[in-house]
Amino acid sequence: MEIELKNEIGLDPENWEDIRDIGYQMVDDMVEFLKNIRKKPAWKKIPEEVKNTYKSKLPQEPSSIKDVYEEFKQNIFEYAKGNVHPRFFSWVEGNGTAFGALSDFMASTMNSNVAIGNHSALYIENLVISWCKEMMGFSEQATGMLVSGASIANITSLIVARNAVSGKMKEDGLYSVNKKLVAYCSTETHNCVTKAIEVIGLGNNQLRKIGVNDKFEIDINLLIKQIEQDKKDDMLPFCIIGNAGTVNTGAFDDLNKLLEVVRTENMWLHIDGAFGALAKLVPEYQDRLKAIEEADSLAFDFHKWLYVNYEVACVLIKHPELHRKTYASPANYLLAHDRGLAAGPDAFSNYGMELSRGFKALKVWMSLKENGINKYKALINQNIQQSRYLGQQVEKNKKLELITEVSLNIVCFRYVNTKFTGKELNELNKEILMRLHESGVATPSYTLLNGIYAIRVANTNHRTRKHDLDLMLDTCVKIGDELSKEFSKMLTHESN
Ligand SMILES: *Cc1c(COP(=O)(O)O)cnc(C)c1O
């Protein structure tokens, strides 16, 4: 019997005008939101009744897009993280831009799966990768791809570094070498590197976390000693992960020295430059970061210090054959053809773990064209100068203390009061930070540096102005003064 197809359905709107209306509404809402962002609190607590809506049951039947959008506006849009705000300084997070958001919208409209094929998105991603190489002074032969973030960019590189050790790593894994592989980084290295080492089969005991000097840079002598020791113990040192901008303090390891070490020891140098590598665009840092050009691999984010909308990062690898050999895995359904849709550039799945991938390159392409690299250079430099200014303001204020020298765009400070012990100051500053967030004035984050709780301002914010920094510091001092009184009362109470 012939199959009868009746009442076929699809997901396109019944009335395209509804989509047009809501699309215009969304653009209006975006413009109002971003245009007036400064007037909004930097952070807002989510009320319980709103949180309850986050637990609703799986929708069974359709709703009107108007209702869905209204609910989004009330319960989701309203409680954004706030990293678009001019006084957001937490962790290391970028702002994104209006045009970046719109380009994501168009990328999503095309909905190209940038895995394989003969279509514009693949060519544009390759173009963006070649811009990345130019930006970083990286060899033109290098291969690379866009990934979701530096975490994945780091792991993508470390897998290639591991496979470079033995020609049989693909077939026999770590059993192809009769020695334990060891990698090296500083104690200040981002934890995603530890996670990467754990999942590529080495285990974190094989990641040597080398101590740092007083500027939080890897101690080269300790590193060399450890490598010597490991070789004596019949292990196989294979990779050093250098920092171009540590997450805690923005410190740069001495990359030139690390290069010397990898060259003498025949190891791989990977650089985690999540945000710090971008400082290479600023003349002042060009020499210090020159060694990036010589590294075997490099990871950096677009969504942090290039202010591109989440999520997009870049990985570059100096050794095209090794890179491809690591990830390529023949499959009949992925064979390239000479013509038609299945022709086109080498598939990105030959260079990383992902097959289906979105068109992340579009927002990078659009943003770089919209602004030009010189504007980014000026902005990155502006963030560095702002951070130095903030450091100066902290030093000028007797009630505040700078915990470590401002090395790039990260300022770690605390409120001080001689009445309190170190431990009490840690408590006090933690409370200051939470109240500062709740006030909605500003959202820096925190870290512990040598046991000291520091309020930490990371500035990758293109919306920040000098007065934002002033307001944040004034508010910290105000809260600190109030809290000091409360704390003193509590402490006398406790000692009675
Ligand atoms: C943010 C950061 C990472 C992780 O990057 P994601 O983009 O969040 O995956 C790695 N290293 C450093 C130094 C970072 O600042």
Side-chain angles (χ1 to χ4, degrees), residues 92-110:
V92 183
E93 298 190 8
N95 300 122
T97 65
F99 194 50
L102 291 177
S103 57
D104 251 351
F105 170 68
M106 290 316 290
S108 192
T109 301
M110 289 170 76

Side-chain angles (χ1 to χ4, degrees), residues 393-401 414-417:
Q393 295 309 105
V394 167
E395 283 188 306
K396 269 202 229 158
N397 194 322
K398 286 200 182 62
K399 290 178 176 171
L400 299 172
E401 180 187 28
R414 66 173 174 172
Y415 178 88
V416 283
N417 186 327

Side-chain angles (χ1 to χ4, degrees), residues 92 148-152 154 190 192 243 245-247 272 274-275 301 303-304:
V92 183
S148 61
S151 305
I152 300 300
N154 283 332
H190 197 278
C192 69
N243 286 299
T246 59
V247 63
D272 178 5
F275 61 100
D301 278 313
H303 54 217
K304 287 179 177 173

Side-chain angles (χ1 to χ4, degrees), residues 44-175:
K44 211 161 100 178
K45 190 170 178 236
I46 308 173
E48 281 312 309
E49 63 271 21
V50 173
K51 272 193 186 163
N52 285 334
T53 67
Y54 302 160
K55 299 173 192 158
S56 62
K57 289 260 188 283
L58 175 68
Q60 303 287 333
E61 299 301 329
S63 307
S64 86
I65 54 175
K66 260 195 167 150
D67 291 348
V68 176
Y69 184 61
E70 266 318 303
E71 188 180 344
F72 156 78
K73 267 174 61 171
Q74 266 183 35
N75 296 341
I76 302 176
F77 195 35
E78 191 62 22
Y79 303 98
K81 185 173 193 177
N83 50 313
V84 290
H85 196 279
R87 288 186 300 279
F88 177 94
F89 305 117
S90 273
W91 305 288
V92 183
E93 298 190 8
N95 300 122
T97 65
F99 194 50
L102 291 177
S103 57
D104 251 351
F105 170 68
M106 290 316 290
S108 192
T109 301
M110 289 170 76
N111 196 30
S112 302
N113 180 352
V114 195
I116 182 171
N118 194 4
H119 53 103
S120 57
L122 266 121
Y123 294 91
I124 294 303
E125 180 157 343
N126 279 322
L127 175 61
V128 165
I129 296 297
S130 70
W131 289 352
C132 291
K133 291 186 251 181
E134 191 181 331
M135 235 157 57
M136 289 296 158
F138 222 72
S139 141
E140 272 177 43
Q141 285 97 289
T143 35
M145 68 193 300
L146 298 183
V147 292
S148 61
S151 305
I152 300 300
N154 283 332
I155 196 171
T156 303
S157 307
L158 290 174
I159 294 171
V160 185
R162 181 198 64 186
N163 284 19
V165 171
S166 134
K168 296 280 280 174
M169 193 67 78
K170 246 177 113 90
E171 295 78 15
D172 298 331
L174 291 173
Y175 299 112

